Amino acid sequence: MSAAEPVRRTAGDLLRERGELTDDVVAVKVRGRLVDLHTPVPADAPIEVVRRGDPDALPVIRHSAAHVMADAVQRLFPGTQVTIGPAIDQGFYYDFDRPEGPFTDKDLAAIENEMRRIIKAKKPFYREEVSRDAAHRLFEGMGERYKLELLAAIPPDETISLYRHGSPGRPEGTWVDLCEGPHVPHTGHLGAVKLTTVAGAYWRGDERNPMLQRIYGTAFPTEEELKQHLELLEEAKNRDHRKLGKELELFMFHEFAPGMPFFLPRGASVYHRLIDFVRQLYVELGYEEVITPQIFDKRLFEVSGHLENFLENMYLPITAESLEAARKGDVGGVHFLTQKPMNCPSHCLIFAQRRRSYRELPWRVADFGRLHRYERAGVIHGLARVRSFCQDDAHIFCTPDQIESEIAAFNRLLFAVYRAFGFENVEVKLALRPEKRLGTDELWDRAEGALEAALVSVGVPFEKLPGEGAFYGPKLEFHVTDALKRSWQLGTIQLDYALPERFDLEYVGPDGAAHRPVMLHRAILGSLERFYAIYLEHVAGKFPTWLAPEQAVLVTVSERQAEYAEQTQRELTARGLRVALDAGPDKLGAKIRTARLMRHPYIAVIGDDEVAQKSVSVRSRDAGELGKMSVEAFAERLLGEARPPEVIR
């Protein structure tokens, strides 16, 4: 080190000098960035201490647990190669290339025991910064070809860092990984760990690459926190929308349409009511609904910029005529079409179809058209990630001075809708310009500033997400927390100056001159398929009365009551209620069990007494036994709950 070169001080060094380094400190935050105690930081930087019980400590603990797990795996299963091992929302995972094949439950138990040995030993983590050549020699000597590929992908101007920690019984004394951190001071900070599942995962998410073994796990500072989390995981299994979709006969999938759901009659009933709920809001709020084509000439998406920026997620169908031209080598005769992946370009065409005045703005246009996006097989997941879906999609064309009021009005509507579905905890995130984007920096400055001003004006707290915006504009993301304390992104509103520019959209202003409108892309529920999955799990399949496929089921004690039960069903159905009937030969207990499994809001039992008294004996799914009531009283109760929640007052 030369005399002029400053001494580099780690966060741990600075805390130690200040007398602030206690045993429960696992990391620090420097200007909002989470940094471990091993990393050099500016001596004058403001440091916020992160202790083991703080929420910010969890990703540090879990990332460190991933390293300990990989250490244990390579100790127990020599020849296994490691790839990546990040912390995630519910824990951590690590992907392995294991020549012997998948890990078993017995393997997981052995790995977990080895992890506990390493944790109990309180082995320290430490960081090394090395040259690219030194890192290459290290991992090449270890035979870690995946690490060499990751090393090659690191930009030339970035620091190469390694993290090591001790491992019981390893001859070389430490386990090492290519990593930027952050990590805990020593393994004893990891507290309680649990390995949960094993799954297949393609290297880099590409099915053309080798299939790896992904081990998922989680870690918490204490055993009690881990126990609570595992209970939630067990409940999540019971609520899995794929499991409920099959049990409740809501939807299915088939290999002839991979990633594209079939909604069965009961599921389609719920799906259409979700659309009707949003559609009624549109009527009250002045949205106009349109229908647009499913197939377009690819030139539309060249104009919009999607072909350049979204091509890997687009379907490009080809006609028999074009296919024949291609076979003959007639390139000019090949005519590419595009399956619609989003509605916004077609709405721009509608806006441009005639001359428009500022008096028509804001113009709010809605579209429930089906969209198709190619998702790789490895990421498809039930209804939560599909290739064919519908959004409660709408676009608002407005003047620049209408932006703030439109965004504020949308925010109020969105929060009210989420409350109606029982989502009370909503976080707002402002996603800023990505590296790959349309438009000038000046346009992005204006767009980001307008979104931030709208949030400030309504007093909504928010978090900024650098680099996470759409390629055509920044956006607000709305994240809800479900009954299992999981966070999901649902709604969004995106501010777009680029598409009106690319489609040369204009309106006539009060000065008689042509002006460029601003375009707001917005959705409340987002993808209806994804919302369906999230909401189904949120309510554990117990749809509220207004949304349920059947609001009640009538069950007979014996076949003697069938005629009265059928008459009662007709009366209730005539009043607009959805009522099922089970008048078959099964015993009453079996019928009631079936009805409960289908999670009907109400079960109405009909026996000889009920026939004689023109009544039904009612059991509410949520309120329990209600006793006998007249058919009229039962109908009134159902009708009172059959109305969708009131959002706009």
Side-chain angles (χ1 to χ4, degrees), residues 429-432 451 468-470 473-477 489 492-495:
K429 302 187 180 184
L430 172 55
L432 304 174
L451 278 181
E468 295 295 318
K475 60 181 178 178
L476 299 183
E477 297 178 354
Q489 186 206 331
T492 183
I493 186 165
Q494 304 162 4
L495 179 52

Side-chain angles (χ1 to χ4, degrees), residues 22 27 36 145 147-148 150 171 184 221 238 270 275 280 323 369 399 472 476 481 504 514 540 567 583 620 622:
T22 55
D36 62 30
R145 62 186 180 89
K147 290 300 175 184
L148 291 174
L150 292 170
V184 295
N238 294 330
V270 175
I275 291 178
Q280 184 56 43
L323 189 61
T399 66
Y472 49 79
L476 299 183
T481 301
D504 196 24
Q567 176 188 333
S620 164
D622 303 319

Side-chain angles (χ1 to χ4, degrees), residues 177-238:
D177 198 7
L178 178 70
C179 182
E180 62 180 356
H183 288 287
V184 295
H186 61 76
T187 60
H189 284 285
L190 300 187
V193 297
K194 178 67 179 176
L195 302 185
T196 52
T197 56
V198 179
Y202 291 109
W203 170 234
R204 294 188 177 278
D206 189 333
E207 61 264 31
R208 294 168 296 186
N209 288 336
M211 172 67 79
L212 306 174
Q213 295 301 306
R214 175 172 295 178
I215 299 180
Y216 285 97
T218 193
F220 286 89
T222 67
E223 288 287 348
E224 182 59 30
E225 290 171 287
L226 175 61
K227 179 183 176 184
Q228 292 174 2
H229 176 75
L230 294 178
E231 288 173 352
L232 286 177
L233 283 183
E234 189 60 33
E235 179 62 18
K237 289 181 183 177
N238 294 330

